[in-house]
Amino acid sequence: MSTQPSWWQSAVVYQIYPWSFQDSNGDGIGDLPGIVSRLDYLNDGTEDSLGVDAIWLSPIYPSPMIDFGYDISDYCNVDRRFGTLTDFDCLVREAHRRGIRIIMDLVLNHTSSLHPWFQQARASRSAPTRDWYYWADGRGWGRPPSNWNARFGGSSWTWDRAARQYYLHSFLADQPDLNWHNPTLRQAMWKVVRFWINRGVDGFRLDAINWLGKDVRWPNNPRCFGWRGYTRQIHRHDRDQPLAHEVMRELRSLMSAHPDVVLVGEASADTPGGPAAFYGDGSDELHTVFDFRLLKSPWEAPRFRTLIAASEASVPPGGRPSIVFSNHDQSRHIDRYGNGGNAERRARAAAVLLFTLRGTPFLYYGEELGMRDGRLRYHELRDPYTKRYWPFRTGRDPARTPMQWDASPHAGFTTGTPWLPVSDNASTVNVVRHIRTPSSLLSLYRRLIRLRKETPALTRGIYRPLQSTDPHCLVFTRQETEDHVTEQAILVAVNFSGHDTTCSIPGVHCQGTLLLSTYEQEEQGIPWSSGQVVLRPDEAIVVELKRQPFDMLADR
Ligand code: BGC
């Protein structure tokens, strides 16, 4: 077996929301040829491009798009809105030619209600796929089998007139849950996995995995205090069953024939043991699992410090942490972290964390520009979840507005009418403008990605928190080994406050070179001597330490 680290261990992954990246045919919806036409922006092998190593594509499968692709009606094809399988093959070819890998989104918990498997299942109790879904009788007229509430609101049970039973759906009624207890369903899904591997994909992002498996005796969930139906119960019986881990182990064992295919998991933050439970023992479940704790945290140094420590402690040896601040389900982090402070400066400091913390960074299209949440009116919303809780929750549509390529009327995204309005700030926040501006966030992302690639301590080094006298400062080192005579160590310091600060780092006495500051436009190479870090408001710095700070206090 190869001892070489796998590609994803040093990769930077870029999430593309296909609806919104680039439209090539003027229908207002992004598509695969559009993505191909923008690959050079992502990585053309030169310093002008962003330099990412992989794309995670949110679902592109045929779908009625009630949940914008997370309701799949055919696992082995491409939705005509996005193109064809031939377009997909072209994307894989063109991406690979540039050294960019492709990670497919794969929804295992549910299909669309329009999937032929479900259509067959609802038509007859003796259909071969009947047991691929969960069916149950009610507890009396109009009373579903249990009190379970769906993630997107309402009961998890819907009465099906044709089937004359209730079926289970953990999200929308249009997304019936698959029954992973059934072995033929598993085989059908593993066929899907092989189908895409044979087409050249390099990994899968596995959606909502802690929902696989239910307590099929249908006991009621205990109630608790919460702000709406779903959070008013403890989800003891409708998720987080041991079966989910069994399925992940089965999938991982299939990957023994495909050691270069990465498995990335998404699980709820409150799943028992946390999402990291899906690493298994570090070698038998997933390679990496999203940890959304930083994403959900306020912009506060003590919180970050505690959450990073918790994340570090939760990943077993053999597992690889992932770092993610934004995705298609959340408000963009420039708006979240920026709330109550200088959003642009904080986004720059967050970028430093994204690329210097230990783990595989996942960035969400447009965050490198500082794209903000779109300000949408009710009639412009598309996502049923966003509509349901509007205006009490920001919802998901604001983070899904079209990519801002240039200052033209639809930001270079489409020549037609975009499916969601382009953000107001596209005339100033766009790729064309930012790519040649050394002080732009995009330039900072490019520098950080390059720095990360050139710096083994950042790609594979260990993480060590350092004490600092200012609680608003987060200071840590990354170094290649625990060894006291190592070659390289990097110190990162982030000022989470809007004030100047001088903080001492007790015990650290060494020389270094300032490699990067979020205030400066170019690499610095300025001599730096430690003991003290002087930071401007919301500033983050990266320093290469010359002599090892081995007397430094690591309060892990
Ligand atoms: C995806 C959402 C989707 C849900 C149901 C989530 O984890 O990220 O976008 O709506 O799963 O598939």
Side-chain angles (χ1 to χ4, degrees):
M1 215 161 110
S2 158
T3 50
Q4 284 291 312
S6 304
W7 66 268
W8 63 83
Q9 301 190 352
S10 57
V12 172
V13 185
Y14 187 92
Q15 180 188 356
I16 289 185
Y17 196 67
W19 276 80
S20 296
F21 198 60
Q22 178 65 58
D23 176 20
S24 72
N25 59 4
D27 65 359
I29 297 171
D31 48 44
L32 297 180
I35 296 173
V36 172
S37 72
R38 296 295 190 179
L39 286 174
D40 280 344
Y41 164 73
L42 297 178
N43 196 344
D44 67 358
T46 73
E47 291 189 355
D48 287 343
S49 64
L50 196 53
V52 300
D53 307 288
I55 296 169
W56 149 29
L57 272 182
S58 284
I60 53 163
Y61 311 90
S63 162
M65 301 290 175
I66 312 287
D67 189 16
F68 290 85
Y70 287 90
D71 45 336
I72 298 172
S73 55
D74 178 356
Y75 282 86
C76 295
N77 213 331
V78 170
D79 192 278
R80 60 183 167 69
R81 297 171 183 85
F82 301 135
T84 61
L85 276 173
T86 310
D87 294 327
F88 181 80
D89 293 340
C90 170
L91 171 64
V92 172
R93 212 173 36 247
E94 287 299 314
H96 283 175
R97 204 161 65 76
R98 292 165 174 81
I100 304 174
R101 317 261 182 161
I102 303 285
I103 300 176
M104 288 290 272
D105 216 312
L106 186 60
V107 185
L108 300 177
N109 178 65
H110 45 265
T111 66
S112 156
S113 55
L114 297 189
H115 195 295
W117 295 345
F118 188 71
Q119 292 293 317
Q120 247 186 41
R122 81 186 337 173
S124 152
R125 290 196 180 202
S126 57
T129 59
R130 174 78 177 190
D131 187 48
W132 290 17
Y133 295 87
Y134 294 110
W135 299 95
D137 297 325
R139 290 178 301 177
W141 196 85
R143 292 185 63 219
S146 68
N147 71 347
W148 299 357
N149 281 334
R151 177 76 182 79
F152 289 166
S155 168
S156 299
W157 294 100
T158 290
W159 173 253
D160 190 76
R161 286 239 303 267
R164 303 199 56 72
Q165 270 192 315
Y166 285 90
Y167 69 88
L168 183 73
H169 51 87
S170 298
F171 292 87
L172 298 170
D174 313 84
Q175 295 167 299
D177 279 21
L178 286 164
N179 172 11
W180 281 86
H181 296 270
N182 183 300
T184 52
L185 175 264
R186 290 194 200 183
Q187 289 319 313
M189 203 57 99
W190 301 153
K191 229 169 121 179
V192 168
V193 166
R194 282 190 284 262
F195 174 86
W196 290 106
I197 292 178
N198 291 339
R199 287 204 109 84
V201 310
D202 305 284
F204 296 93
R205 176 267 186 190
L206 305 161
D207 186 66
I209 46 177
N210 63 303
W211 264 277
L212 308 185
K214 326 283 162 183
D215 186 334
V216 294
R217 296 164 301 166
W218 319 128
N220 279 340
N221 278 329
R223 295 183 188 282
C224 63
F225 180 77
W227 75 278
R228 65 183 176 94
Y230 181 76
T231 51
R232 273 195 219 123
Q233 51 187 234
I234 299 170
H235 292 275
R236 182 167 300 155
H237 304 293
D238 55 347
R239 347 172 313 196
D240 307 317
Q241 305 296 305
L243 184 73
H245 293 279
E246 185 185 315
V247 172
M248 291 304 115
R249 284 193 292 272
E250 196 171 312
L251 177 56
R252 178 66 180 262
S253 70
L254 289 182
M255 292 306 124
S256 55
H258 309 283
D260 263 351
V261 172
V262 67
L263 299 176
V264 183
E266 184 221 32
S268 314
D270 58 350
T271 197
F278 285 95
Y279 287 102
D281 67 10
S283 64
D284 64 345
E285 294 192 35
L286 304 183
H287 298 108
T288 185
V289 184
F290 291 130
D291 183 334
F292 293 133
R293 286 177 286 193
L294 289 183
L295 182 153
K296 300 206 165 169
S297 168
W299 184 249
E300 290 167 11
R303 291 285 272 275
F304 266 61
R305 190 183 169 87
T306 308
L307 295 174
I308 295 163
S311 159
E312 281 284 318
S314 68
V315 180
R320 171 86 183 155
S322 62
I323 314 292
V324 54
F325 294 155
S326 281
N327 67 25
H328 64 292
D329 289 331
Q330 312 289 338
S331 153
R332 287 181 176 273
H333 74 258
I334 187 167
D335 284 287
R336 267 181 288 114
Y337 293 159
N339 192 11
N342 183 316
E344 279 78 18
R345 285 202 312 243
R346 286 186 183 177
R348 296 174 75 81
V352 168
L353 287 175
L354 183 67
F355 296 110
T356 59
L357 283 171
R358 189 174 81 88
T360 300
F362 282 75
L363 50 140
Y364 181 54
Y365 81 94
E367 76 170 61
E368 72 279 17
L369 301 174
M371 270 177 63
R372 311 290 295 246
D373 286 338
R375 280 199 300 248
L376 305 175
R377 288 180 285 258
Y378 184 80
H379 74 269
E380 293 168 328
L381 302 179
R382 302 291 299 267
D383 171 34
Y385 178 72
T386 307
K387 284 185 182 171
R388 184 167 193 138
Y389 296 107
W390 190 91
F392 302 106
R393 296 244 136 171
T394 14
R396 310 189 292 182
D397 279 330
R400 297 176 177 180
T401 58
M403 177 70 173
Q404 297 169 195
W405 295 104
D406 57 41
S408 67
H410 299 309
F413 164 69
T414 182
T415 52
T417 307
W419 75 285
L420 275 181
V422 170
S423 271
D424 312 338
N425 66 359
S427 57
T428 49
V429 176
N430 61 61
V431 171
V432 165
R433 185 167 172 149
H434 284 197
I435 206 143
R436 300 268 165 235
T437 309
S439 60
S440 68
L441 185 61
L442 176 56
S443 297
L444 179 66
Y445 268 68
R446 288 187 299 177
R447 281 165 58 204
L448 279 162
I449 292 174
R450 226 171 43 233
L451 177 67
R452 196 185 137 84
K453 284 199 177 142
E454 291 162 357
T455 313
L458 289 180
T459 41
R460 51 171 193 254
I462 56 168
Y463 164 86
R464 257 172 200 249
L466 297 182
Q467 275 183 344
S468 88
T469 49
D470 182 344
H472 300 298
C473 278
L474 182 74
V475 188
F476 59 90
T477 57
R478 300 287 314 283
Q479 56 192 70
E480 275 203 75
T481 60
E482 296 262 14
D483 195 349
H484 281 204
V485 198
T486 125
E487 283 165 14
Q488 190 185 39
I490 297 291
L491 179 136
V492 178
V494 182
N495 178 7
F496 277 65
S497 83
H499 310 287
D500 289 312
T501 184
T502 302
C503 60
S504 309
I505 316 170
V508 177
H509 299 290
C510 61
Q511 304 297 310
T513 310
L514 180 68
L515 299 179
L516 182 143
S517 152
T518 51
Y519 270 65
E520 310 299 339
Q521 301 177 5
E522 300 294 343
E523 274 74 6
Q524 292 303 294
I526 293 176
W528 180 89
S529 56
S530 75
Q532 261 190 353
V533 185
V534 181
L535 294 169
R536 288 163 277 190
D538 309 299
E539 183 176 16
I541 57 167
V542 182
V543 173
E544 179 172 15
L545 298 179
K546 282 284 183 280
R547 265 195 42 235
Q548 292 305 291
F550 294 120
D551 51 345
M552 65 197 180
L553 300 176
D555 57 342
R556 284 192 286 179

